[in-house]
Amino acid sequence: MKALDAVTFGESMAMFYAKEVGELHQVNTFQKALAGAESNVAVGLSRLGFEVGWMSKVGADSLGTFILEELQKEGVDIEAVIRSNDGAKTGILLKSKVTDGDPDVTYYRKGSAASTMNLSDFPMDYFKQAGHLHMTGIPPALSSEMRAFSFHALQMMKEWGKTISFDPNLRLQLWEEEEEMIHTVNQLAFQVDWFFPGLAEGQRLTGFQEPEQIADVYLQKGVKLVVIKLGAEGAYFKSATSQGVAKGFQVEQVVDTVGAGDGFAVGVISAMLDGLSDEESVTRGNAIGALAVMSPGDKDGLPTREELKAFLQQTKRDNRREHVKGDEIDGEISKFER
């Protein structure tokens, strides 16, 4: 068993996204792709050169095989993935194509193989040899068994002294009650090192409106870095030693906003693991988030290190947005030249 820089877990699905604009019931042509917040992050980290593992349960069906083969192609370690033997299937989703706004996404995941993961499935040795754990708020919403698995994974990684990042990825439709969602997600968030909510998510989770107020709730609980995504404006960040706003990057054309948050997480996590400062890490998160929205699939825009460096250099040359500080980009580019 090889050592991993990072590990994550959750449900991945086979996504069928429309090749033509229109309502889903009117579309005739779809493209198959991999979907799943946690596997998106795993792919993104792998493309940047990290050894990363993804743990889940998939159906003993063709779509389960598709997911595993896609992740293997991306260099993601799938040694700990379980194939279901009780007839549970791999989840799927349909996604519309739009020219403006967010696409319509319809899920078929209830009772899926991943939702049956439980404490007995936790691969202790596999997680223990990883240096970092990335989590989202989706697995604990899928079933009580997955919720227990999520808390156990977090608690064990904390005991082993690993760093933990958490993207709440609030999906109200997956929860029976909003109050339960807020309570559960906060119980997890209060225990992590790096927390990445969107502004609306932070407002819902805390009741506060301003980014600094939201960040302070989690910092007071022991979270080391809170980064609040502000969309095109960039992201606000605060830790015990720094705070500020890392400005966003101009996007030529928004193709698909789904997966932007995962790209952002890839940027921040990878930069933190690289030893960059808070501001440099959030700047990288903004850069990869921008790249993600310019591609149709959830993971298509996730860059290699060379592609990320080229994007940053092009942004600097074009000076497309005056509020992206040149020294921030210079600092980020220099990390690829060490």
Side-chain angles (χ1 to χ4, degrees):
M1 184 181 296
K2 64 181 179 181
L4 299 173
D5 298 306
V7 67
T8 186
F9 66 92
E11 178 171 31
S12 288
M13 293 164 285
M15 172 175 65
F16 295 87
Y17 63 91
K19 299 292 288 180
E20 55 201 78
V21 176
E23 300 291 331
L24 280 173
H25 70 275
Q26 299 173 322
V27 175
N28 294 312
T29 307
F30 293 83
Q31 177 73 40
K32 184 175 62 175
L34 174 69
E38 301 84 11
S39 55
N40 289 341
V41 171
V43 168
L45 291 174
S46 179
R47 288 184 183 177
L48 291 175
F50 292 93
E51 294 290 343
V52 57
W54 175 78
M55 191 270 162
S56 187
K57 183 181 287 188
V58 300
D61 48 30
S62 59
L63 294 181
T65 301
F66 165 74
I67 287 172
L68 297 183
E69 289 183 350
E70 284 294 296
L71 290 172
Q72 282 183 309
K73 290 176 187 176
E74 295 286 354
V76 175
D77 189 279
I78 56 171
E79 179 182 337
V81 176
I82 301 168
R83 298 300 294 261
S84 176
N85 60 7
D86 60 3
K89 303 298 184 183
T90 303
I92 66 172
L93 68 89
L94 303 179
K95 184 168 71 173
S96 67
K97 182 177 182 179
V98 297
T99 56
D100 185 39
D102 296 329
D104 175 29
V105 181
T106 301
Y107 295 95
Y108 299 89
R109 69 196 310 178
K110 186 174 182 179
S112 66
S115 69
T116 68
M117 280 172 57
N118 56 62
L119 287 179
S120 66
D121 295 322
F122 182 71
M124 182 174 295
D125 291 341
Y126 188 77
F127 274 66
K128 190 173 185 178
Q129 48 83 47
H132 177 78
L133 170 66
H134 178 65
M135 301 176 58
T136 82
I138 296 174
L142 298 179
S143 65
S144 58
E145 292 83 4
M146 274 288 269
R147 190 173 309 173
F149 185 103
S150 299
F151 276 95
H152 184 68
L154 183 150
Q155 289 161 4
M156 295 308 298
M157 293 297 273
K158 281 179 69 69
E159 285 186 17
W160 295 325
K162 316 295 186 174
T163 53
I164 303 168
S165 55
F166 184 45
D167 184 338
N169 260 302
L170 298 185
R171 300 288 187 271
L172 185 56
Q173 68 271 27
L174 296 177
W175 296 86
E176 293 185 4
E177 297 180 356
E178 182 175 1
E179 182 178 348
E180 178 187 32
M181 176 185 73
I182 292 171
H183 176 72
T184 302
V185 170
N186 277 332
Q187 276 189 309
L188 292 165
F190 292 157
Q191 302 181 68
V192 306
D193 296 289
W194 313 328
F195 184 45
F196 313 140
L199 179 58
E201 290 178 321
Q203 291 168 340
R204 174 170 272 174
L205 288 169
T206 68
F208 291 107
Q209 297 302 304
E210 297 302 317
E212 185 171 9
Q213 294 176 310
I214 295 167
D216 285 343
V217 170
Y218 298 95
L219 293 172
Q220 290 166 8
K221 292 290 186 177
V223 178
K224 295 180 176 62
L225 172 67
V226 180
V227 185
I228 299 172
K229 293 167 282 189
L230 305 175
E233 296 178 16
Y236 171 85
F237 63 92
K238 187 173 183 180
S239 69
T241 58
S242 68
Q243 69 171 311
V245 175
K247 301 299 183 180
F249 289 75
Q250 183 171 344
V251 174
E252 292 181 359
Q253 180 181 3
V254 176
V255 176
D256 189 346
T257 58
V258 177
D262 302 329
F264 181 86
V266 168
V268 179
I269 295 166
S270 66
M272 294 294 285
L273 294 180
D274 280 344
L276 275 62
S277 69
D278 295 343
E279 185 171 16
E280 290 168 335
S281 298
V282 179
T283 296
R284 185 187 289 185
N286 288 338
I288 298 183
L291 285 166
V293 303
M294 291 189 280
S295 300
D298 287 9
K299 63 182 179 65
D300 293 351
L302 298 173
T304 63
R305 286 192 181 255
E306 283 304 310
E307 290 167 343
L308 176 58
K309 180 180 177 181
F311 174 72
L312 293 166
Q313 290 175 327
Q314 185 64 46
T315 299
K316 181 185 175 184
R317 283 195 297 267
D318 293 349
N319 193 24
R320 289 174 178 150
R321 298 189 73 169
E322 294 180 359
H323 66 269
V324 177
K325 298 178 183 178
D327 57 350
E328 291 176 1
I329 297 176
D330 282 342
E332 170 65 353
I333 292 172
S334 71
K335 303 306 180 300
F336 295 96
E337 297 173 341
R338 287 180 175 174

